[in-house]
């Protein structure tokens, strides 16, 4: 008898037929005598719909209230999934994140999991139930409802698999597995049979939304091997696991395009110690995630000044702007510019550690496509550039063709 954690994303539970389909798959595993914990997302479009309702009322709604609102999406799905299993005469019970013992910090809308005490999960499994847990949500030690960041049901599944010491963790989604690029964008992308945690982590945090990046970080930390596979067929998926020596043979494992980034530039920041520290400390305190940072020395007349640019997730742009506006009297920069029309294009692969000339080749492909490069950032296993959003998809296909095919 195995303990299996299965996670079904928004499209996989997108209507009642899909939910019945999930129940049928769970029933097959149940018939083999396995113990099953099912983590579900909100039905596709529900979370976005709830966010839109709130934003129709206020541009910057209270983050506590957003969590209260968004957590309802997953609560609908757990109950419907339990009802679908009951219809198949399978004992099943739904639990909220809090009931499943998921305790988080109090950073509303992007809370981190502190610990999990899955007492009720164990009790229900022991009494023969399939346990259905609401993804994406938890509760602070003080009993406040929190959510784990967009795509956070992946994290719920992986964290529960670690806490329950599950034998198997399966992430069911609307594609067959992890591809060399988003298959919706790059028709020639191919499915990977396996990928290392580090490559998956980079791809996820660089825009491949097939997995939430924090969930991959968690899986790496706790050694949770998981499989990404389709809820619509029985094809084998992609195994995400520790790097093996043979993985280094491939230079570029995947290409990702993040269309959800925005750039903020502070023009004319006084060129003296402590300026960047003040800006990024204030952004950090406001829980704004900052990704790429570039500072240019301007050689204009008068006192030396620099331009400081950084990228953040689009949904954080208003919050970031508010923080920066608040710093103006203290720092005395000239103006703030924002640009939401950027895309971040990245290539990822552990093989880059032992190959040279990869950046040059990528930049050459972009030059031939007439794509101008904005910011650049690199690590041992990735190269990212910001480009004009309008050229993003064509550039992604060109880079994929040059490195992968
Ligand atoms: P779920 O609702 O199941 O969590 P998501 O929509 O969050 O599903 O993620 C699945 C989607 O991720 C796919 O439909 C696909 O378009 C997109 N995607 C982006 N990059 C990749 C990639 N490299 N491999 C597979 N899918 C990808
Ligand atoms: N429903 C949440 C979202 O849309 C969480 C998830 O789907 O994983 O972000
Ligand atoms: Mg997802």
């Amino acid at each position: 008898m195995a303990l299996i954690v299965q996670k079904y994303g928004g499209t996989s539970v997108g209507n009642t037929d899909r939910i019945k389909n999930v129940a049928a798959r769970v029933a097959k595993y149940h018939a083999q005598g396995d113990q099953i914990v099912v983590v579900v997302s909100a039905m596709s479009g529900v979370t976005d719909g709830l966010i839109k309702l709130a934003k129709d009322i206020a541009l910057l709604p209270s983050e506590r209230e957003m969590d209260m609102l968004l957590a309802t999406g997953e609560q609908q799905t757990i109950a419907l999934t339990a009802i679908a299993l009951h219809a198949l005469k399978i004992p099943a019970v739904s639990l909220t994140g809090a009931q499943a013992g998921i305790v988080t910090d109090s950073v509303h809308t992007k809370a981190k999991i502190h610990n999990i005490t899955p007492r009720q999960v164990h009790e229900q499994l022991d009494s023969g139930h399939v346990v259905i847990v609401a993804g994406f949500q938890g509760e602070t030690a003080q009993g406040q409802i929190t959510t784990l960041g967009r795509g956070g049901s992946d994290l719920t599944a992986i964290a529960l698999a670690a806490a329950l010491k599950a034998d198997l963790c399966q992430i069911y989604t609307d594609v067959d597995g992890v591809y060399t690029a988003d298959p919706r964008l790059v028709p020639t992308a191919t499915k990977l049979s396996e990928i290392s945690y580090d490559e998956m982590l980079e791809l996820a945090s660089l825009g491949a939304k097939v997995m939430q990046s924090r969930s991959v970080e968690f899986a790496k930390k706790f050694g949770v091997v998981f499989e990404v596979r389709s809820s619509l067929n029985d094809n084998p998926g992609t195994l995400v696991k520790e790097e093996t020596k043979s993985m280094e043979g491939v230079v570029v494992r995947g290409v990702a395009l993040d269309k959800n980034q925005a750039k903020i530039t502070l023009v004319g920041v006084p060129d003296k110690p402590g300026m960047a520290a003040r800006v990024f400390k204030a952004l950090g305190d406001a829980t704004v995630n900052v990704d790429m940072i570039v500072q240019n020395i301007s050689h204009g007349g008068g006192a030396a000044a620099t331009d400081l640019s950084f990228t953040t997730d689009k949904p954080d742009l208003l919050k970031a702007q508010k923080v920066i506006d608040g710093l103006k009297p203290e720092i005395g920069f000239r103006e703030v510019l924002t640009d939401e029309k950027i895309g971040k294009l990245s290539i990822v692969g552990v093989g880059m550690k032992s190959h040279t000339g990869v950046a040059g080749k990528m930049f050459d492909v972009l030059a031939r496509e007439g794509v101008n490069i904005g910011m650049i950032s690199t690590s041992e296993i990735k190269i990212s550039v910001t480009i004009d959003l309008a050229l993003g998809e064509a550039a992604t296909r060109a880079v994929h063709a040059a490195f992968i095919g």
Side-chain angles (χ1 to χ4, degrees):
M1 183 181 68
L3 198 168
I4 306 174
V5 174
Q6 299 186 333
K7 178 256 171 177
Y8 293 90
T11 315
S12 306
V13 292
N15 56 42
T16 47
D17 281 337
R18 290 268 167 90
I19 291 176
K20 288 183 203 167
N21 190 43
V22 166
R25 187 182 292 270
V26 172
K28 265 200 279 175
Y29 283 90
H30 186 259
Q32 292 168 20
D34 295 324
Q35 288 191 317
I36 306 153
V37 175
V38 180
V39 174
V40 286
S41 294
M43 295 164 81
S44 60
V46 166
T47 308
D48 286 339
L50 292 170
I51 292 175
K52 186 167 180 317
L53 288 178
K55 298 251 158 135
D56 279 351
I57 300 174
L59 274 178
L60 269 180
S62 144
E63 290 178 333
R64 179 192 183 277
E65 302 308 330
M66 284 310 287
D67 280 352
M68 189 64 91
L69 179 67
L70 296 192
T72 63
E74 270 67 13
Q75 260 174 255
Q76 295 176 2
T77 331
I78 50 171
L80 291 170
T81 309
I83 291 166
L85 281 161
H86 295 164
L88 300 176
K89 308 262 179 305
I90 293 175
V93 62
S94 63
L95 297 178
T96 63
Q99 288 173 325
I102 297 175
V103 180
T104 73
D105 65 18
S106 55
V107 181
H108 284 290
T109 77
K110 32 180 120 146
K112 288 208 166 75
I113 296 178
H114 258 177
N115 61 280
I116 303 185
T117 321
R119 187 181 47 79
Q120 287 200 53
V121 179
H122 281 301
E123 283 170 8
Q124 295 290 354
L125 286 174
D126 289 346
S127 62
H129 288 84
V130 171
V131 181
I132 301 146
V133 179
F136 178 54
Q137 54 174 263
E139 185 183 66
T140 67
Q142 291 73 38
Q144 302 294 319
I145 293 176
T146 51
T147 63
L148 309 175
R150 294 306 305 268
S153 301
D154 295 334
L155 178 57
T156 306
I158 287 182
L160 271 175
L164 297 167
K165 300 191 174 52
D167 300 294
L168 210 57
C169 179
Q170 302 171 321
I171 306 290
Y172 286 94
T173 182
D174 56 4
V175 276
D176 280 355
V178 181
Y179 278 65
T180 51
D182 186 341
R184 290 178 207 277
L185 210 76
V186 181
T188 55
T190 50
K191 185 173 68 182
L192 298 162
S193 57
E194 56 178 31
I195 185 170
S196 69
Y197 289 125
D198 286 335
E199 289 169 324
M200 187 69 250
L201 184 54
E202 288 288 5
L203 282 177
S205 52
L206 296 169
K209 75 166 188 160
V210 62
M211 285 300 298
Q212 188 215 31
S213 60
R214 283 168 58 184
S215 71
V216 185
E217 219 173 326
F218 200 101
K220 182 182 178 193
K221 189 163 167 195
F222 292 95
V224 178
V225 175
F226 60 95
E227 187 190 5
V228 180
R229 53 186 295 179
S230 171
S231 66
L232 307 169
N233 59 45
D234 285 321
N235 297 345
T238 302
L239 220 52
V240 186
K241 57 182 212 180
E242 207 51 73
E243 182 180 327
T244 57
K245 200 70 209 146
S246 66
M247 288 181 181
E248 276 201 35
V250 176
V251 184
V252 175
R253 180 90 48 207
V255 180
L257 174 67
D258 189 347
K259 301 187 203 171
N260 200 30
Q261 294 276 299
K263 181 169 84 171
I264 301 186
T265 304
L266 283 70
V267 182
V269 180
D271 188 16
K272 56 184 189 196
M275 295 294 108
R278 257 181 249 176
V279 170
F280 294 108
K281 163 120 191 5
L283 289 166
D285 289 346
T287 69
V288 173
N289 283 329
V290 171
D291 179 26
M292 296 163 108
I293 302 175
V294 168
Q295 182 170 274
N296 291 315
I297 308 292
S298 50
H299 297 285
T306 66
D307 292 348
L308 186 59
S309 297
F310 62 90
T311 61
T312 185
D313 296 336
K314 252 179 216 159
D316 271 353
L317 179 61
L318 265 185
K319 195 158 80 163
Q321 260 180 295
K322 209 169 144 196
V323 171
I324 300 294
D325 288 343
L327 289 173
K328 188 156 192 199
E330 183 189 333
I331 294 187
F333 49 85
R334 212 162 55 240
E335 61 173 327
V336 183
L337 305 174
T338 61
D339 184 358
E340 288 186 74
K341 301 220 161 46
I342 61 162
K344 184 170 60 179
L345 173 59
S346 310
I347 55 176
V348 171
V350 288
M352 279 186 215
K353 287 189 230 175
S354 49
H355 288 77
T356 54
V358 185
K361 179 170 168 182
M362 180 185 186
F363 301 161
D364 188 46
V365 174
L366 292 172
R368 277 189 280 117
E369 288 289 308
V371 177
N372 199 36
I373 296 173
M375 302 158 107
I376 302 174
S377 94
T378 64
S379 81
E380 244 192 337
I381 66 162
K382 72 118 200 250
I383 300 166
S384 299
V385 297
T386 63
I387 57 176
D388 179 355
L389 184 58
L391 303 176
E393 299 196 353
T396 306
R397 285 190 279 270
V399 168
H400 188 277
F403 283 101
I404 298 170

